[in-house]
Amino acid sequence: MSGDMGAGAAGWHDDEVVSAGLPDKRLARRFCRLLDQMSAAPGQPVPAACGDWAATKAAYRFFDNPRVTEHGMLAGQQRRTL
């Protein structure tokens, strides 16, 4: 996680990954990277947030993976909102 987000930042990051319920450690690591990239560039499109073609392609492969669901990625936020 980026160092400028403060001491409590790792908590939400970890909660998001655990709440997503990803079935594979590699997917969980990729989700962590995406959280880092997207939170460092709020409002930016995926290619701008990822920074280079390899990271962008990896992000799109992650989103296209049938084991990754929108519901799973948003589960932590939904639980905290309720």
Side-chain angles (χ1 to χ4, degrees):
M1 182 104 158
S2 61
D4 60 357
M5 299 211 48
W12 79 264
H13 190 264
D14 294 340
D15 289 345
E16 292 296 318
V17 173
V18 169
S19 296
L22 296 168
D24 182 310
K25 288 181 183 180
R26 292 172 299 162
L27 290 174
R29 280 194 307 267
R30 172 60 57 198
F31 190 38
C32 283
R33 272 190 220 121
L34 283 170
L35 287 173
D36 285 340
Q37 293 166 330
M38 300 304 282
S39 65
Q44 295 297 313
V46 172
C50 290
D52 63 26
W53 176 241
T56 300
K57 188 173 178 181
Y60 286 131
R61 275 194 315 248
F62 175 83
F63 295 134
D64 197 40
N65 189 314
R67 297 183 301 162
V68 174
T69 65
E70 180 180 343
H71 176 73
M73 289 192 306
L74 295 174
Q77 291 295 318
Q78 291 172 339
R79 187 170 6 143
R80 280 189 288 283
T81 299
L82 291 173

Coordinates of all heavy atoms in Angstrom, one line a residue:
M1 N 0.8 -1.2 0.0 CA 0.0 0.0 0.0 C 0.9 1.2 0.0 O 2.0 1.2 0.5 CB -0.9 -0.1 1.2 CG -1.8 1.1 1.3 SD -3.4 0.5 0.9 CE -4.3 1.7 1.7
S2 N 0.4 2.3 -0.5 CA 1.2 3.5 -0.6 C 1.5 4.1 0.8 O 0.6 4.0 1.6 CB 0.6 4.5 -1.5 OG -0.7 4.9 -1.0
G3 N 2.6 4.6 1.0 CA 3.0 5.0 2.4 C 2.4 6.3 2.8 O 2.4 6.6 4.0
D4 N 1.7 7.0 2.0 CA 1.1 8.3 2.4 C -0.3 8.2 2.8 O -1.0 9.2 3.1 CB 1.2 9.3 1.2 CG 0.5 8.9 0.0 OD1 -0.1 7.7 0.0 OD2 0.5 9.6 -1.0
M5 N -0.8 7.0 3.0 CA -2.2 6.9 3.4 C -2.4 6.8 4.9 O -3.6 6.7 5.3 CB -2.9 5.7 2.6 CG -2.8 5.9 1.2 SD -4.0 5.2 0.2 CE -5.5 5.7 0.9
G6 N -1.4 6.7 5.7 CA -1.5 6.7 7.1 C -1.6 5.3 7.7 O -1.7 4.3 7.0
A7 N -1.5 5.2 9.0 CA -1.4 4.0 9.7 C -2.7 3.1 9.6 O -2.6 1.9 9.6 CB -1.1 4.2 11.2
G8 N -3.9 3.7 9.5 CA -5.1 2.9 9.4 C -5.4 2.4 8.0 O -6.3 1.7 7.8
A9 N -4.6 2.9 7.1 CA -4.9 2.5 5.7 C -4.8 1.0 5.4 O -5.6 0.5 4.7 CB -4.0 3.3 4.7
A10 N -3.8 0.4 6.1 CA -3.7 -1.1 5.8 C -4.9 -1.9 6.3 O -5.2 -2.9 5.7 CB -2.4 -1.6 6.6
G11 N -5.6 -1.4 7.3 CA -6.8 -2.0 7.8 C -7.9 -2.2 6.8 O -8.4 -3.2 6.6
W12 N -8.2 -1.1 6.1 CA -9.3 -1.1 5.1 C -8.8 -2.0 3.9 O -9.6 -2.7 3.4 CB -9.7 0.3 4.7 CG -8.8 1.0 3.7 CD1 -7.9 1.9 4.0 CD2 -8.8 0.8 2.3 NE1 -7.2 2.3 2.8 CE2 -7.8 1.6 1.7 CE3 -9.6 0.0 1.4 CZ2 -7.5 1.7 0.4 CZ3 -9.3 0.1 0.0 CH2 -8.3 0.9 -0.5
H13 N -7.6 -1.9 3.6 CA -7.0 -2.6 2.5 C -7.1 -4.1 2.7 O -7.6 -4.8 1.9 CB -5.5 -2.2 2.3 CG -4.8 -2.7 1.1 ND1 -4.1 -3.8 1.1 CD2 -4.8 -2.2 -0.1 CE1 -3.6 -4.0 -0.1 NE2 -4.0 -3.0 -0.8
D14 N -6.7 -4.6 3.9 CA -6.8 -6.0 4.3 C -8.3 -6.4 4.3 O -8.6 -7.5 3.8 CB -6.2 -6.2 5.6 CG -4.7 -6.0 5.5 OD1 -4.1 -6.0 4.4 OD2 -4.1 -5.8 6.6
D15 N -9.2 -5.6 4.9 CA -10.6 -5.9 4.9 C -11.2 -6.1 3.6 O -12.0 -7.0 3.4 CB -11.4 -4.8 5.7 CG -11.1 -4.8 7.2 OD1 -10.5 -5.8 7.7 OD2 -11.4 -3.8 7.8
E16 N -10.8 -5.2 2.6 CA -11.4 -5.3 1.3 C -11.0 -6.7 0.6 O -11.8 -7.3 0.0 CB -10.8 -4.2 0.4 CG -11.4 -2.8 0.8 CD -12.9 -2.7 0.6 OE1 -13.4 -3.2 -0.4 OE2 -13.5 -2.1 1.5
V17 N -9.7 -7.1 0.8 CA -9.2 -8.3 0.2 C -9.9 -9.5 0.8 O -10.4 -10.4 0.1 CB -7.7 -8.4 0.3 CG1 -7.2 -9.7 -0.2 CG2 -7.0 -7.3 -0.5
V18 N -10.0 -9.5 2.1 CA -10.7 -10.6 2.8 C -12.1 -10.7 2.5 O -12.7 -11.8 2.2 CB -10.5 -10.5 4.4 CG1 -11.3 -11.5 5.1 CG2 -9.0 -10.7 4.7
S19 N -12.8 -9.6 2.4 CA -14.2 -9.5 2.1 C -14.5 -10.0 0.7 O -15.6 -10.5 0.4 CB -14.8 -8.1 2.3 OG -14.7 -7.8 3.7
A20 N -13.6 -9.8 -0.2 CA -13.8 -10.2 -1.6 C -13.9 -11.7 -1.7 O -14.6 -12.2 -2.7 CB -12.7 -9.7 -2.5
G21 N -13.4 -12.4 -0.8 CA -13.5 -13.9 -0.8 C -12.9 -14.5 -2.1 O -13.5 -15.5 -2.6
L22 N -11.8 -14.0 -2.5 CA -11.2 -14.5 -3.7 C -10.7 -15.9 -3.5 O -10.0 -16.2 -2.4 CB -10.1 -13.6 -4.2 CG -10.6 -12.2 -4.7 CD1 -9.5 -11.3 -4.8 CD2 -11.4 -12.4 -5.9
P23 N -10.9 -16.9 -4.4 CA -10.5 -18.3 -4.2 C -9.0 -18.6 -4.3 O -8.6 -19.8 -4.2 CB -11.3 -19.0 -5.2 CG -11.4 -18.0 -6.3 CD -11.5 -16.7 -5.7
D24 N -8.2 -17.6 -4.6 CA -6.8 -17.9 -5.0 C -5.9 -16.8 -4.5 O -6.3 -15.6 -4.6 CB -6.8 -17.9 -6.6 CG -5.5 -18.2 -7.2 OD1 -4.5 -17.6 -6.8 OD2 -5.5 -19.1 -8.1
K25 N -4.8 -17.2 -3.9 CA -3.9 -16.2 -3.4 C -3.4 -15.2 -4.5 O -3.1 -14.0 -4.2 CB -2.7 -16.8 -2.7 CG -3.0 -17.5 -1.4 CD -1.8 -18.1 -0.8 CE -2.2 -18.8 0.5 NZ -1.0 -19.5 1.1
R26 N -3.2 -15.7 -5.7 CA -2.7 -14.8 -6.8 C -3.8 -13.7 -7.1 O -3.4 -12.6 -7.3 CB -2.4 -15.6 -8.0 CG -1.2 -16.5 -7.9 CD -1.1 -17.5 -9.0 NE -2.3 -18.3 -9.1 CZ -2.7 -19.0 -10.1 NH1 -2.0 -19.0 -11.3 NH2 -3.8 -19.7 -10.1
L27 N -5.0 -14.1 -7.1 CA -6.1 -13.1 -7.3 C -6.1 -12.1 -6.1 O -6.3 -10.9 -6.4 CB -7.5 -13.8 -7.4 CG -7.7 -14.6 -8.7 CD1 -9.0 -15.4 -8.6 CD2 -7.6 -13.7 -9.9
A28 N -5.9 -12.6 -4.9 CA -5.9 -11.7 -3.8 C -4.7 -10.7 -3.9 O -4.9 -9.5 -3.6 CB -5.8 -12.5 -2.5
R29 N -3.6 -11.2 -4.3 CA -2.4 -10.3 -4.5 C -2.7 -9.2 -5.6 O -2.4 -8.1 -5.5 CB -1.1 -11.0 -4.8 CG -0.5 -11.7 -3.6 CD 0.9 -12.1 -3.9 NE 1.0 -13.0 -5.1 CZ 0.9 -14.4 -5.0 NH1 0.8 -15.0 -3.9 NH2 1.0 -15.1 -6.1
R30 N -3.3 -9.7 -6.7 CA -3.7 -8.8 -7.8 C -4.7 -7.7 -7.3 O -4.6 -6.5 -7.6 CB -4.2 -9.5 -9.0 CG -4.8 -8.7 -10.1 CD -3.8 -7.8 -10.7 NE -2.6 -8.5 -11.2 CZ -1.5 -7.9 -11.5 NH1 -1.3 -6.6 -11.3 NH2 -0.5 -8.6 -11.9
F31 N -5.6 -8.2 -6.5 CA -6.6 -7.2 -6.0 C -5.9 -6.2 -5.1 O -6.3 -5.0 -5.2 CB -7.7 -8.0 -5.2 CG -8.9 -7.1 -4.8 CD1 -9.4 -6.2 -5.7 CD2 -9.6 -7.4 -3.6 CE1 -10.5 -5.4 -5.3 CE2 -10.7 -6.6 -3.3 CZ -11.2 -5.7 -4.1
C32 N -5.0 -6.6 -4.3 CA -4.2 -5.7 -3.4 C -3.5 -4.6 -4.3 O -3.5 -3.4 -4.0 CB -3.2 -6.4 -2.6 SG -3.8 -7.2 -1.2
R33 N -2.9 -5.1 -5.4 CA -2.2 -4.2 -6.3 C -3.2 -3.2 -6.9 O -2.9 -2.0 -7.0 CB -1.4 -4.9 -7.4 CG -0.1 -5.3 -7.0 CD 0.7 -5.8 -8.1 NE 1.5 -7.0 -7.6 CZ 1.4 -8.2 -8.0 NH1 0.7 -8.5 -9.0 NH2 2.2 -9.1 -7.5
L34 N -4.3 -3.7 -7.3 CA -5.3 -2.8 -7.9 C -5.8 -1.8 -6.9 O -6.0 -0.6 -7.3 CB -6.5 -3.7 -8.5 CG -6.2 -4.3 -9.8 CD1 -7.3 -5.3 -10.2 CD2 -6.0 -3.3 -10.9
L35 N -6.0 -2.2 -5.7 CA -6.5 -1.3 -4.7 C -5.4 -0.2 -4.5 O -5.8 1.0 -4.4 CB -6.7 -2.0 -3.3 CG -8.0 -2.8 -3.3 CD1 -8.0 -3.6 -1.9 CD2 -9.2 -2.0 -3.4
D36 N -4.2 -0.6 -4.5 CA -3.1 0.4 -4.4 C -3.1 1.4 -5.6 O -3.1 2.6 -5.4 CB -1.7 -0.3 -4.3 CG -1.4 -0.9 -3.0 OD1 -2.0 -0.6 -2.0 OD2 -0.5 -1.8 -3.0
Q37 N -3.2 0.8 -6.7 CA -3.1 1.7 -7.9 C -4.3 2.6 -8.1 O -4.2 3.8 -8.4 CB -3.0 0.8 -9.2 CG -1.7 0.0 -9.3 CD -1.7 -1.1 -10.3 OE1 -2.7 -1.7 -10.6 NE2 -0.5 -1.4 -10.8
M38 N -5.5 2.0 -7.9 CA -6.7 2.8 -8.0 C -6.9 3.9 -6.9 O -7.4 5.0 -7.2 CB -7.9 1.9 -8.1 CG -7.9 0.9 -9.3 SD -7.7 1.6 -10.9 CE -9.3 2.2 -11.2
S39 N -6.5 3.5 -5.7 CA -6.6 4.5 -4.6 C -5.6 5.6 -4.7 O -5.8 6.7 -4.2 CB -6.6 3.8 -3.2 OG -5.3 3.3 -3.0
A40 N -4.5 5.4 -5.4 CA -3.5 6.4 -5.6 C -3.8 7.4 -6.7 O -3.3 8.4 -6.9 CB -2.1 5.7 -5.9
A41 N -4.8 7.0 -7.5 CA -5.2 7.8 -8.7 C -6.8 7.8 -8.8 O -7.3 7.4 -9.7 CB -4.6 7.3 -10.0
P42 N -7.4 8.4 -7.7 CA -8.9 8.4 -7.7 C -9.5 9.1 -8.9 O -9.0 10.2 -9.3 CB -9.3 9.0 -6.4 CG -8.0 9.8 -6.0 CD -6.9 9.1 -6.6
G43 N -10.5 8.5 -9.5 CA -11.2 9.2 -10.7 C -10.5 9.0 -12.0 O -11.0 9.3 -13.0
Q44 N -9.3 8.3 -12.0 CA -8.6 8.1 -13.2 C -9.1 6.8 -13.9 O -9.4 5.9 -13.2 CB -7.1 8.0 -13.0 CG -6.5 9.3 -12.5 CD -6.6 10.4 -13.5 OE1 -6.3 10.2 -14.7 NE2 -7.1 11.6 -13.1
P45 N -9.0 6.7 -15.2 CA -9.3 5.4 -15.8 C -8.3 4.4 -15.5 O -7.2 4.7 -15.1 CB -9.4 5.8 -17.3 CG -8.6 7.1 -17.5 CD -8.7 7.8 -16.1
V46 N -8.6 3.1 -15.7 CA -7.7 2.0 -15.4 C -6.3 2.2 -16.0 O -5.3 2.1 -15.3 CB -8.3 0.7 -15.7 CG1 -7.3 -0.5 -15.6 CG2 -9.6 0.4 -14.9
P47 N -6.2 2.5 -17.3 CA -4.8 2.7 -17.9 C -4.0 3.7 -17.2 O -2.8 3.6 -16.9 CB -5.1 3.0 -19.3 CG -6.4 2.4 -19.6 CD -7.2 2.6 -18.3
A48 N -4.6 4.9 -16.8 CA -3.9 5.9 -16.2 C -3.5 5.5 -14.8 O -2.4 5.9 -14.3 CB -4.7 7.2 -16.1
A49 N -4.4 4.9 -14.0 CA -4.1 4.4 -12.7 C -3.0 3.4 -12.6 O -2.2 3.4 -11.7 CB -5.3 3.9 -12.0
C50 N -3.0 2.5 -13.6 CA -2.1 1.4 -13.6 C -0.7 1.8 -14.1 O 0.3 1.3 -13.7 CB -2.6 0.3 -14.5 SG -4.0 -0.6 -13.8
G51 N -0.6 2.8 -15.0 CA 0.7 3.4 -15.3 C 1.4 2.8 -16.5 O 2.0 3.6 -17.2
D52 N 1.3 1.6 -16.8 CA 1.9 1.0 -18.0 C 1.0 -0.1 -18.6 O 0.0 -0.5 -18.0 CB 3.3 0.5 -17.7 CG 3.4 -0.7 -16.7 OD1 2.4 -1.4 -16.6 OD2 4.4 -0.8 -16.1
W53 N 1.4 -0.5 -19.8 CA 0.5 -1.5 -20.5 C 0.4 -2.8 -19.8 O -0.6 -3.4 -19.7 CB 1.0 -1.7 -21.9 CG 0.2 -2.7 -22.6 CD1 0.7 -3.9 -23.2 CD2 -1.2 -2.8 -22.9 NE1 -0.3 -4.6 -23.7 CE2 -1.5 -4.0 -23.5 CE3 -2.2 -1.9 -22.6 CZ2 -2.8 -4.3 -23.9 CZ3 -3.5 -2.3 -22.9 CH2 -3.8 -3.4 -23.6
A54 N 1.6 -3.3 -19.2 CA 1.5 -4.6 -18.5 C 0.6 -4.6 -17.3 O -0.2 -5.6 -17.2 CB 3.0 -5.0 -18.1
A55 N 0.7 -3.6 -16.5 CA -0.2 -3.5 -15.4 C -1.7 -3.3 -15.8 O -2.6 -3.8 -15.2 CB 0.2 -2.3 -14.5
T56 N -1.9 -2.5 -16.8 CA -3.3 -2.3 -17.4 C -3.8 -3.7 -17.9 O -5.0 -4.0 -17.6 CB -3.3 -1.3 -18.5 OG1 -2.8 -0.1 -18.0 CG2 -4.7 -1.1 -19.0
K57 N -3.0 -4.4 -18.6 CA -3.5 -5.7 -19.1 C -3.8 -6.6 -18.0 O -4.8 -7.4 -18.0 CB -2.4 -6.3 -20.1 CG -2.9 -7.5 -20.8 CD -1.8 -7.9 -21.8 CE -2.2 -9.2 -22.5 NZ -1.2 -9.6 -23.5
A58 N -2.9 -6.6 -17.0 CA -3.2 -7.5 -15.8 C -4.5 -7.1 -15.1 O -5.2 -8.0 -14.6 CB -2.0 -7.4 -14.8
A59 N -4.8 -5.8 -15.0 CA -6.0 -5.4 -14.4 C -7.2 -5.8 -15.2 O -8.2 -6.4 -14.6 CB -6.0 -3.8 -14.3
Y60 N -7.2 -5.7 -16.5 CA -8.3 -6.1 -17.3 C -8.5 -7.6 -17.2 O -9.6 -8.1 -17.2 CB -8.2 -5.6 -18.7 CG -8.5 -4.2 -18.9 CD1 -7.6 -3.3 -19.6 CD2 -9.6 -3.6 -18.3 CE1 -7.9 -2.0 -19.7 CE2 -9.9 -2.2 -18.4 CZ -9.0 -1.4 -19.1 OH -9.3 -0.1 -19.2
R61 N -7.4 -8.4 -17.2 CA -7.5 -9.9 -17.0 C -8.1 -10.2 -15.7 O -8.9 -11.1 -15.6 CB -6.1 -10.5 -17.1 CG -5.7 -10.8 -18.5 CD -4.5 -11.7 -18.5 NE -3.5 -11.3 -17.6 CZ -2.3 -10.9 -17.8 NH1 -1.9 -10.8 -19.1 NH2 -1.5 -10.5 -16.9
F62 N -7.8 -9.4 -14.6 CA -8.4 -9.7 -13.3 C -9.9 -9.4 -13.4 O -10.7 -10.3 -12.9 CB -7.7 -8.7 -12.3 CG -8.4 -8.8 -10.9 CD1 -8.0 -9.8 -10.0 CD2 -9.3 -7.9 -10.5 CE1 -8.5 -9.8 -8.8 CE2 -9.9 -7.9 -9.3 CZ -9.5 -8.9 -8.4
F63 N -10.3 -8.3 -14.0 CA -11.7 -8.0 -14.1 C -12.5 -9.0 -14.9 O -13.7 -9.2 -14.7 CB -11.9 -6.6 -14.6 CG -11.4 -5.5 -13.7 CD1 -10.7 -4.5 -14.2 CD2 -11.7 -5.5 -12.3 CE1 -10.2 -3.5 -13.4 CE2 -11.2 -4.5 -11.5 CZ -10.5 -3.5 -12.0
D64 N -11.8 -9.6 -15.9 CA -12.4 -10.5 -16.8 C -12.5 -12.0 -16.3 O -13.1 -12.8 -16.8 CB -11.7 -10.5 -18.2 CG -12.5 -11.1 -19.3 OD1 -13.7 -10.9 -19.3 OD2 -11.9 -11.9 -20.1
N65 N -11.8 -12.2 -15.2 CA -11.7 -13.6 -14.6 C -13.1 -14.0 -14.1 O -13.7 -13.2 -13.3 CB -10.7 -13.6 -13.4 CG -10.4 -15.0 -12.9 OD1 -11.3 -15.7 -12.7 ND2 -9.1 -15.2 -12.7
P66 N -13.6 -15.1 -14.5 CA -14.9 -15.5 -14.0 C -15.0 -15.8 -12.5 O -16.1 -15.8 -12.0 CB -15.2 -16.8 -14.8 CG -13.9 -17.3 -15.3 CD -13.0 -16.1 -15.4
R67 N -13.9 -15.9 -11.8 CA -13.9 -16.1 -10.4 C -13.9 -14.8 -9.6 O -14.0 -14.8 -8.4 CB -12.8 -17.0 -9.9 CG -12.9 -18.4 -10.6 CD -11.8 -19.3 -10.1 NE -10.5 -18.8 -10.4 CZ -9.3 -19.2 -9.8 NH1 -9.4 -20.1 -8.9 NH2 -8.2 -18.6 -10.2
V68 N -13.8 -13.7 -10.3 CA -13.9 -12.4 -9.7 C -15.2 -11.8 -10.0 O -15.6 -11.7 -11.2 CB -12.7 -11.5 -10.3 CG1 -12.9 -10.1 -9.7 CG2 -11.4 -12.1 -9.9
T69 N -16.0 -11.4 -9.0 CA -17.3 -10.9 -9.2 C -17.4 -9.4 -8.7 O -16.7 -9.1 -7.7 CB -18.4 -11.7 -8.5 OG1 -18.2 -11.6 -7.1 CG2 -18.4 -13.1 -9.0
E70 N -18.2 -8.7 -9.3 CA -18.5 -7.3 -8.8 C -19.0 -7.4 -7.3 O -18.5 -6.6 -6.5 CB -19.5 -6.6 -9.7 CG -19.8 -5.2 -9.3 CD -20.9 -4.6 -10.2 OE1 -21.1 -5.1 -11.3 OE2 -21.5 -3.6 -9.8
H71 N -19.9 -8.3 -7.1 CA -20.4 -8.4 -5.7 C -19.3 -8.7 -4.7 O -19.2 -8.1 -3.6 CB -21.5 -9.5 -5.7 CG -22.0 -9.8 -4.3 ND1 -22.8 -8.9 -3.7 CD2 -21.7 -10.8 -3.5 CE1 -23.1 -9.4 -2.5 NE2 -22.4 -10.6 -2.3
G72 N -18.4 -9.6 -5.1 CA -17.3 -9.9 -4.2 C -16.4 -8.8 -3.9 O -16.0 -8.5 -2.8
M73 N -16.0 -8.0 -5.0 CA -15.1 -6.9 -4.8 C -15.8 -5.8 -4.0 O -15.1 -5.0 -3.3 CB -14.7 -6.3 -6.1 CG -13.7 -7.3 -6.8 SD -12.9 -6.6 -8.2 CE -14.2 -6.0 -9.3
L74 N -17.1 -5.6 -4.0 CA -17.8 -4.6 -3.3 C -18.3 -5.0 -1.9 O -18.9 -4.2 -1.2 CB -18.9 -4.0 -4.1 CG -18.6 -3.3 -5.4 CD1 -19.8 -3.0 -6.2 CD2 -17.7 -2.1 -5.1
A75 N -18.1 -6.3 -1.6 CA -18.7 -6.9 -0.3 C -18.3 -6.1 0.9 O -19.1 -5.8 1.8 CB -18.4 -8.3 -0.2
G76 N -17.0 -5.8 1.0 CA -16.5 -5.1 2.2 C -17.2 -3.7 2.4 O -17.6 -3.3 3.5
Q77 N -17.3 -3.0 1.3 CA -17.9 -1.7 1.3 C -19.4 -1.8 1.6 O -19.9 -1.0 2.4 CB -17.7 -0.9 -0.1 CG -16.3 -0.6 -0.3 CD -15.8 0.5 0.6 OE1 -16.5 1.4 0.9 NE2 -14.6 0.3 1.1
Q78 N -20.1 -2.7 1.0 CA -21.5 -2.9 1.3 C -21.7 -3.2 2.8 O -22.7 -2.7 3.4 CB -22.1 -4.0 0.4 CG -22.1 -3.5 -1.0 CD -22.5 -4.7 -2.0 OE1 -22.4 -5.8 -1.7 NE2 -22.9 -4.3 -3.2
R79 N -20.9 -4.1 3.3 CA -21.1 -4.5 4.7 C -20.9 -3.3 5.7 O -21.7 -3.1 6.6 CB -20.1 -5.6 5.1 CG -20.4 -6.2 6.5 CD -19.6 -7.4 6.7 NE -18.6 -7.7 5.6 CZ -17.4 -8.1 5.8 NH1 -17.0 -8.4 6.9 NH2 -16.7 -8.3 4.7
R80 N -19.9 -2.5 5.4 CA -19.6 -1.3 6.3 C -20.7 -0.3 6.1 O -21.1 0.4 7.0 CB -18.2 -0.8 6.0 CG -17.1 -1.5 6.7 CD -15.8 -0.8 6.6 NE -15.2 -0.9 5.2 CZ -14.7 -2.0 4.7 NH1 -14.6 -3.1 5.4 NH2 -14.2 -2.0 3.5
T81 N -21.3 -0.2 4.9 CA -22.3 0.8 4.7 C -23.6 0.4 5.4 O -24.3 1.2 6.0 CB -22.6 0.9 3.2 OG1 -21.5 1.4 2.5 CG2 -23.7 1.9 2.9
L82 N -23.9 -0.9 5.4 CA -25.1 -1.4 6.1 C -24.9 -1.2 7.6 O -25.8 -0.9 8.3 CB -25.4 -2.8 5.8 CG -25.9 -3.0 4.3 CD1 -25.9 -4.5 4.0 CD2 -27.2 -2.4 4.1

